[in-house]
Amino acid sequence: MQKSIILFTFFISAICCNISSFAQGGMWLPSELDKNQKDMRTKGMRISTKEIYDEQNASIKDAVVLFGRGCTGEFVSEKGLLFTNHHCGYGEIVKHSTVEHDYLTNGFAAKTLEEELPCPGLTVTLLQYMKDVTDEVLKGVTSSITEKERKSKINENIKNIVDNATKGTNLSGYVKALYYGNQYMLYVNKIYKDVRLVAAPPSNIGKFGGDTDNWMWPRHTGDFSVFRVYVDENNEPAEYNKNNKPYKPKKYLKISLKDKQEGDFTFVMGYPGTTQQFLTSYAVEDIQNLEDPARIKLRTERLNVYKDAQEESAAKRLRYASEVASIANGWKKWQGEVKGLKFLNAIQKKQQQEVNNPLMPQFKRLYDENRKYKMEQLYIGEAVLSSDFMLHTRRLLSLIDLSWNEATTDETLQIEIDKLYNYLSAYYDNDFSSHRKVDSMIFVRTMTIFYNDFAKDNYTFLRTKIKQTSVEDYFANIYQSSILNNPNKIKKLLKDYKRTNYKKLFKDSAIELLSPILGQYINSTQEQLAQNNSKLDSLYRINTKNYLDDYNRNKQSQDVSMNNGIFPDANLTLRVTYGNIAPFKPRNGVTYRHYTTIAGIMEKEDPNIYDYVVEKKLKDIYYNNDMAPYGDRVAFIATNHTTGGNSGSPVMDADGNLIGLNFDRNWEGTMSDILYDKDLCRNITLDVRYCLLIIDKYLEANNLIEELELVK
Ligand code: ARG
Ligand code: ASP
């Protein structure tokens, strides 16, 4: 099968494609930015692309880092001071918050280096250089080998390339495939491990508007936090040590205090996570009509349960705050995505490009075959494993596996039992008596949807059992009767656990439910998915190559302003995107201005709604007009093409000075991961002057302001 795909391509002549559909937006490779130079200049840039990416001399790329594992940050002082978003530093701020020092609620600013707070586990990754290694990766890959042989050859080559680039150094590296394996890039990095929390605004500034305003414009969130990178005496990465020194970056960003106007050029450098602009119409159809709606439906149920609980008390609101934030983020984004895809007629647009493409029947067959497996995977993640109850059941299943397996030594088994005992004891002793209601509702409601929408037709064992009762009752009974609903019993069982106890556990109602579901998934579905995805991947590789060949044949020069450029999908590697500050029209008759001001915070204020509480201190600053030299701007929007991972990315002006921190997109434009539209899609940026105003006047951290280089 795999072989035939490859051979087949030999007979495909150029597939005429509507290249212009890839034309808008763009997340460009920094090392290939020369071809964007003319376009960037036309749009208003005054520096050269060499000042953005240069391997020999200090350039902006030396100031931009991957923050943690999925955000971006930037150096803003010669002492390794780093800006990122509040929602990117959130986990660290929470970890350092206690009842006595509630930094999350009240904000925090270190007034000396000694007061900065270590964040074990947090890393900052700084790219040293990137290099096209396509020829080396594909060495020995011929059209006569199978897909499997191809993969193993490629992996072997990649390992050698990375080893050669990093052996005997303190560098680390990886190779990433672009265009589904039509191009390969080597990335060589330094990873800094001593990163300390320096400042954060209070939650009602850093998270102002909460989930209600999330993904929305107009926006008034002061979404920033401040960290610092520490190094050894040679300015090199080191494990945490209190004697480490602030890192001296090769380049840090100057900060512009100038006013920004509609039309001004901006660019963003950062780590966008995932886009899927080459998807076929079949894939977009699945996302728009099946996957996103199923996810939204399931998360709506969970959110309703949490929200009802949160209404009960302030303590409960806090208890479920982070769950709600993370569930609601995707939930809201997918709703925007579906709306946007429909509005743009994305499926029809894709279909038009696919006319006369001989690969389409193969795509269709694979998508048809894969749909059931993909949905099963989705339901397992979003429904079956969405309650604590089922997550704990999964741990019990592993314990059964270990007990049953003769190869498990008594020591290994005991270690696992102790871990599980400690974990579950803490869980039950926390607030299980009240949390039980929430967790059981989540279990019953998500499982009911899972059953009605999917399992009924796909799991005979469930259909037979549920025949006699109502679906809800069936699942409610499972929760009721499981040992996991009886803290004393499960604790006792684990405390005195003997290997043979697995037999008893095996008869538990929760195990009886989860074991066949996960069994089918692990033993068969995963393998099917892997096989189909690998076939799809090869097909996309060929399809994308055809697009690229066609594009290269027809384009007039390397310069993207001459021919709308094609760029590789985001894959959490460093990219540059650029555009202009611009308002937009979310719907007929409405135009949204391109910036917001503090007046909007005062307008939104509602002391009774947690997300809209405004501190007296901020009101004093505003009403006493104590905002100089920063002014009253809070956020602005522009046409930069960004996605998840770009949070915290520096937004720069025509001279390469920092003017803001990227933190979100507008709801109407969230389909940009699949289809970008320059009229509808905007990135949302925190105006850096609001960030400075809060650091200076609210947190009173003049020590930090003094480190910065401000351009007036
Ligand atoms: N929507 C933004 C992004 O995707 C910010 C998310 C954090 N904020 C929140 N209210 N949940 O990551
Ligand atoms: N808020 C996103 C992030 O955290 C950015 C986006 O999706 O536009 O990376």
Side-chain angles (χ1 to χ4, degrees):
M1 175 65 211
Q2 286 109 331
K3 221 172 184 175
S4 70
I5 293 177
I6 292 188
L7 291 177
F8 185 47
T9 53
F10 278 103
F11 302 103
I12 300 173
S13 55
I15 294 167
C16 188
C17 50
N18 179 0
I19 288 164
S20 65
S21 60
F22 293 109
Q24 301 169 318
M27 300 176 178
W28 308 98
L29 298 175
S31 56
E32 296 180 4
L33 211 56
D34 282 352
K35 62 176 192 241
N36 299 85
Q37 170 119 303
K38 198 167 160 210
D39 192 35
M40 292 173 93
R41 292 223 176 223
T42 311
K43 292 197 162 82
M45 184 170 76
R46 286 189 286 267
I47 57 173
S48 79
T49 49
K50 254 211 146 9
E51 292 171 69
I52 299 174
Y53 182 89
D54 189 344
E55 281 167 23
Q56 266 70 51
N57 305 295
S59 59
I60 290 172
K61 81 129 191 358
D62 300 306
V64 183
V65 301
L66 176 70
F67 181 85
R69 270 173 278 153
C71 275
T72 306
E74 55 276 355
F75 290 118
V76 289
S77 90
E78 62 175 2
K79 288 197 276 176
L81 201 66
L82 199 69
F83 281 175
T84 187
N85 287 148
H86 183 262
H87 77 265
C88 295
Y90 192 78
E92 303 303 330
I93 304 168
V94 170
K95 272 189 232 160
H96 286 292
S97 295
T98 59
V99 180
E100 299 85 55
H101 302 285
D102 190 351
Y103 300 141
L104 187 65
T105 310
N106 306 321
F108 164 75
K111 301 287 155 65
T112 61
L113 293 182
E114 287 68 41
E115 284 175 26
E116 300 182 353
L117 302 166
C119 301
L122 175 64
T123 58
V124 151
T125 304
L126 181 61
L127 179 72
Q128 306 300 300
Y129 67 91
M130 56 193 281
K131 188 177 160 212
D132 190 318
V133 287
T134 313
D135 292 343
E136 289 143 81
V137 170
L138 295 179
K139 199 176 275 163
V141 174
T142 59
S143 52
S144 60
I145 63 176
T146 64
E147 280 295 287
K148 206 168 155 199
E149 289 164 343
R150 184 178 198 276
K151 267 205 187 112
S152 83
K153 185 78 213 156
I154 286 177
N155 286 339
E156 184 190 320
N157 289 344
I158 286 179
K159 192 178 174 307
N160 289 333
I161 294 167
V162 173
D163 280 354
N164 284 337
T166 58
K167 224 189 310 170
T169 69
N170 65 348
L171 303 170
S172 76
Y174 49 76
V175 168
K176 287 226 182 172
L178 306 175
Y179 299 114
Y180 298 90
N182 283 296
Q183 190 182 1
Y184 287 88
M185 277 280 172
L186 166 70
Y187 295 85
V188 176
N189 296 306
K190 279 189 187 170
I191 301 180
Y192 296 86
K193 293 181 176 155
D194 187 350
V195 185
R196 304 184 196 170
L197 176 63
V198 176
S203 263
N204 53 28
I205 290 176
K207 243 194 124 187
F208 184 77
D211 286 305
T212 320
D213 282 11
N214 191 21
W215 296 114
M216 301 288 237
W217 183 257
R219 193 69 159 274
H220 300 87
T221 314
D223 199 344
F224 78 91
S225 58
V226 186
F227 288 79
R228 193 188 305 278
V229 172
Y230 282 77
V231 286
D232 68 13
E233 64 276 11
N234 302 316
N235 206 32
E236 291 296 327
E239 294 293 336
Y240 169 78
N241 183 321
K242 74 173 186 350
N243 299 323
N244 281 345
K245 299 186 166 53
Y247 171 58
K248 188 166 193 305
K250 259 189 34 208
K251 165 95 189 171
Y252 61 88
L253 301 179
K254 294 180 197 162
I255 298 177
S256 166
L257 295 182
K258 285 185 201 137
D259 262 333
K260 286 148 280 247
Q261 318 290 346
E262 181 179 340
D264 281 358
F265 176 81
T266 64
F267 70 103
V268 180
M269 195 170 203
Y271 280 86
T274 314
T275 59
Q276 300 180 287
Q277 30 154 13
F278 293 99
L279 288 184
T280 59
S281 60
Y282 309 118
V284 179
E285 228 174 312
D286 280 354
I287 292 174
Q288 178 186 305
N289 298 333
L290 289 175
E291 295 166 24
D292 280 358
R295 289 193 183 104
I296 294 163
K297 185 170 171 183
L298 287 161
R299 288 201 178 190
T300 304
E301 285 298 324
R302 283 161 79 192
L303 283 170
N304 286 342
V305 174
Y306 284 129
K307 283 189 180 145
D308 286 347
Q310 283 185 314
E311 304 259 291
E312 285 171 25
S313 67
K316 289 226 168 122
R317 190 189 50 69
L318 261 180
R319 164 71 171 84
Y320 297 114
S322 79
E323 271 97 342
V324 166
S326 79
I327 299 172
N329 198 39
W331 171 78
K332 193 156 177 186
K333 188 200 143 178
W334 294 319
Q335 294 178 56
E337 185 170 87
V338 170
K339 256 178 98 110
L341 289 172
K342 287 185 181 161
F343 186 83
L344 291 181
N345 286 320
I347 299 172
Q348 286 91 321
K349 279 200 182 123
K350 293 271 176 184
Q351 282 167 343
Q352 280 159 17
Q353 292 161 27
E354 292 164 358
V355 173
N356 296 332
N357 180 342
L359 296 177
M360 291 329 283
Q362 288 189 65
F363 270 117
K364 177 160 180 8
R365 202 169 59 241
L366 279 171
Y367 274 107
D368 284 345
E369 234 175 86
N370 217 18
R371 191 164 298 119
K372 186 176 119 188
Y373 305 122
K374 255 195 316 182
M375 291 309 283
E376 186 175 329
Q377 183 178 44
L378 185 156
Y379 278 108
I380 293 208
E382 291 284 334
V384 178
L385 296 178
S386 70
S387 58
D388 294 342
F389 179 55
M390 281 289 106
L391 288 171
H392 297 162
T393 308
R394 186 170 62 175
R395 294 190 71 156
L396 287 186
L397 267 172
S398 312
L399 179 65
I400 295 174
D401 254 359
L402 280 175
S403 316
W404 170 82
N405 189 341
E406 283 167 8
T408 312
T409 63
D410 288 344
E411 282 95 326
T412 313
L413 187 63
Q414 197 52 50
I415 291 171
E416 280 312 305
I417 294 165
D418 291 345
K419 258 201 242 162
L420 191 55
Y421 176 80
N422 292 335
Y423 171 79
L424 284 180
S425 299
Y427 175 79
Y428 287 116
D429 295 347
N430 182 18
D431 63 350
F432 186 65
S433 52
S434 72
H435 176 60
R436 171 197 267 138
K437 197 173 110 201
V438 168
D439 193 50
S440 66
M441 270 202 293
I442 285 179
F443 168 72
V444 172
R445 293 200 194 166
T446 54
M447 289 306 282
T448 302
I449 297 178
F450 164 67
Y451 179 77
N452 288 330
D453 293 1
F454 184 80
K456 193 162 60 184
D457 303 321
N458 294 288
Y459 295 86
T460 14
F461 89 93
L462 268 179
R463 207 168 45 229
T464 331
K465 286 189 172 164
I466 290 184
K467 237 191 284 173
Q468 357 281 352
T469 55
S470 90
V471 187
E472 275 100 343
D473 288 351
Y474 175 75
F475 289 117
N477 257 324
I478 289 180
Y479 199 103
Q480 264 303 314
S481 54
S482 167
I483 190 166
L484 285 170
N485 189 34
N486 191 330
N488 290 335
K489 231 167 143 182
I490 180 75
K491 278 197 261 178
K492 182 164 183 331
L493 180 104
L494 289 174
K495 202 159 183 131
D496 315 327
Y497 192 83
K498 310 239 165 14
R499 203 180 259 260
T500 49
N501 285 156
Y502 80 85
K503 291 181 187 156
K504 203 164 132 200
L505 265 184
F506 207 72
K507 294 204 194 89
D508 186 81
S509 58
I511 298 284
E512 279 185 333
L513 173 70
L514 189 61
S515 166
I517 294 176
L518 277 193
Q520 169 171 318
Y521 181 70
I522 291 163
N523 297 325
S524 129
T525 306
Q526 262 182 347
E527 179 54 29
Q528 289 291 345
L529 272 173
Q531 276 182 26
N532 285 346
N533 286 339
S534 146
K535 287 180 199 165
L536 270 172
D537 221 47
S538 317
L539 210 50
Y540 271 115
R541 184 179 77 239
I542 294 155
N543 200 43
T544 309
K545 179 167 185 346
N546 291 332
Y547 276 122
L548 290 172
D549 287 350
D550 212 25
Y551 171 77
N552 285 324
R553 229 188 331 273
N554 291 319
K555 77 172 179 205
Q556 312 186 6
S557 78
Q558 285 295 328
D559 176 4
V560 299
S561 65
M562 299 291 290
N563 29 262
N564 295 310
I566 294 185
F567 60 95
D569 271 318
N571 59 355
L572 208 64
T573 59
L574 192 62
R575 300 293 176 94
V576 173
T577 172
Y578 53 92
N580 299 82
I581 295 182
F584 79 103
K585 297 183 164 55
R587 54 191 177 273
N588 190 269
V590 180
T591 303
Y592 283 155
R593 193 178 64 187
H594 59 281
Y595 68 92
T596 58
T597 65
I598 299 179
I601 298 178
M602 303 308 157
E603 257 173 47
K604 282 181 178 173
E605 184 194 7
D606 185 339
N608 300 315
I609 300 179
Y610 182 79
D611 288 334
Y612 295 103
V613 173
V614 181
E615 293 296 329
K616 179 171 180 303
K617 193 164 179 182
L618 184 61
K619 287 194 237 179
D620 289 346
I621 294 168
Y622 178 65
Y623 290 115
N624 295 336
N625 205 3
D626 184 20
M627 293 170 291
Y630 311 111
D632 66 348
R633 299 269 176 110
V634 176
F636 63 90
I637 45 174
T639 59
N640 300 295
H641 188 182
T642 54
T643 188
N646 267 126
S647 274
S649 298
V651 179
M652 290 158 279
D653 66 8
D655 301 309
N657 293 326
L658 185 69
I659 55 174
L661 273 56
N662 185 78
F663 70 98
D664 213 358
R665 276 172 287 163
N666 63 324
W667 197 58
E668 298 79 359
T670 46
M671 70 303 193
S672 63
D673 292 345
I674 296 169
L675 195 61
Y676 181 87
D677 183 276
K678 71 174 178 356
D679 293 330
L680 274 181
C681 299
R682 295 289 178 271
N683 69 312
I684 303 180
T685 301
L686 167 68
D687 194 309
V688 74
R689 292 171 298 178
Y690 184 58
C691 166
L692 300 186
L693 176 80
I694 300 300
I695 294 177
D696 187 346
K697 312 270 165 144
Y698 192 101
L699 299 171
E700 297 173 21
N702 204 257
N703 53 315
L704 300 180
I705 300 288
E706 275 169 5
E707 269 189 50
L708 309 171
E709 197 168 330
L710 306 178
V711 186
K712 299 208 172 116

